[in-house]
Amino acid sequence: MALVIYLNTERRQWWLEHLQSLLPGIDCRLWENAGDPGEILYAVVWRPPTGGLARFPNLRCIISVGAGIDHVLQDSLRPEHVPVIRTTGSDLTLRMREYVCLHVLRMHRRSMEIEARQQQQLWQPGITPTAAERRIGIMGLGKLGSDAAVSLAALGFSVAGWANSRHRISNVDTYAGVAEKKRFLRATEILVCMLPLTESTRGILNRDLFAQLPAGACIINVARGEHLIENDLTDAIAHGHIDYATLDVFIEEPLPADHPFWHNPRITVTPHIASMIDPESGGKEIARNLQRFINGETISDLTDADRGY
Ligand code: GLV
């Protein structure tokens, strides 16, 4: 009974030892030392190479080291019958909450302008509306999205949430499906994308969507770079319809040095750090989910590959 780990990090060896200590009954191996492919029953991965997982004929489950599973599903040769479990955990949710609140508040209080004025030694006071007068729209109401929505509502913002299916969240106005998207967008001044990446959400942050937001709206993308049509954002900013964007995720990561986003004064770039799994607690979460899987118990992080999340 063996488990294989594919992680694109220098801490691979640390992860190996950590998981091995948490799962003493399972032989944990790094990808490059997987040994006999027939012995591998479990795979713990982040962006596995195409066709890599298909090498293991007895694979029983795939664990994504992260909330998203798009990096697993994009492997067209992946064994489709093998269930995929994501990794969330409270630290991932808390970090995401902090990032979303930080950047919503930054936009709400126009901090980027105040910081720019400091460079010019400009003392220019002004009154901003209160949070209650600012309408925030969260797209995607999964674990992370609904937590961010509740947290922003607790700060006093007027919060709406949109998702494919109907959600009920206290103090948050919820909208569902294509039919209610327009109404949701029309009332959103700061839009936060927290959607899973699926065929129906790829490219959702595009020219048409921007046009449905009120003039001067701001965008925060903490989901995936592929949700955004990059040129549409640059155009909408250039035309003044979108005022500001904070982007944590990009189609190409690291963001190439010559990418225009780096120098756009109306875009804040952060290096996919909104929420990362802490290896210590993430490892424990992975071990717990795997143990539940082996025992045939319910796992809330079990995903639906057909749905894409
Ligand atoms: C990070 O992007 C994740 O999916 O957890």
Side-chain angles (χ1 to χ4, degrees), residues 240-304:
H241 185 70
I242 296 296
D243 181 57
Y244 202 88
T246 293
L247 307 174
D248 185 53
V249 286
F250 304 89
I251 293 171
E252 191 178 345
E253 294 180 6
L255 188 65
D258 59 352
H259 197 289
F261 283 171
W262 283 115
H263 303 291
N264 191 318
R266 299 210 155 263
I267 296 180
T268 289
V269 167
T270 61
H272 202 144
I273 41 89
S275 187
M276 286 200 291
I277 291 212
D278 160 358
E280 192 73 48
S281 60
K284 289 189 186 137
E285 206 66 46
I286 289 170
R288 193 163 30 237
N289 275 340
L290 184 56
Q291 212 57 68
R292 293 183 72 85
F293 177 82
I294 292 169
N295 298 342
E297 294 166 37
T298 324
I299 305 164
S300 65
D301 283 324
L302 186 65
T303 64
D304 176 345

Side-chain angles (χ1 to χ4, degrees), residues 57-83:
N58 299 319
L59 202 58
R60 295 194 188 150
C61 86
I62 301 166
I63 300 187
S64 157
V65 186
I69 60 162
D70 50 294
H71 63 100
V72 176
L73 302 187
Q74 77 188 1
D75 174 2
S76 53
L77 304 172
R78 162 188 66 94
E80 286 183 11
H81 61 283
V82 178

Side-chain angles (χ1 to χ4, degrees), residues 167-243:
H167 287 68
R168 287 187 206 291
I169 305 171
S170 57
N171 299 322
V172 176
D173 291 331
T174 53
Y175 297 79
V178 179
E180 296 178 15
K181 195 159 122 208
K182 211 174 191 153
R183 266 201 303 138
F184 161 78
L185 292 171
R186 203 165 45 211
T188 290
E189 293 171 284
I190 300 177
L191 179 73
V192 189
C193 177
M194 304 188 73
L195 289 163
L197 181 67
T198 66
E199 276 326 299
S200 61
T201 65
R202 188 178 294 275
I204 193 167
L205 300 176
N206 61 31
R207 174 189 312 254
D208 290 347
L209 178 141
F210 298 148
Q212 291 173 53
L213 292 168
C218 295
I219 310 283
I220 297 176
N221 188 15
V222 288
R224 288 288 181 263
E226 290 85 348
H227 283 119
L228 174 69
I229 306 293
E230 295 187 342
N231 287 337
D232 288 3
L233 176 66
T234 319
D235 288 352
I237 288 178
H239 293 127
H241 185 70
I242 296 296
D243 181 57

Side-chain angles (χ1 to χ4, degrees), residues 135-139 141 149 158-162 171-175 184 187-188:
R135 298 184 314 258
I136 317 297
I138 310 282
M139 291 187 104
L141 295 172
S158 161
V159 185
W162 177 84
N171 299 322
V172 176
D173 291 331
T174 53
Y175 297 79
F184 161 78
T188 290

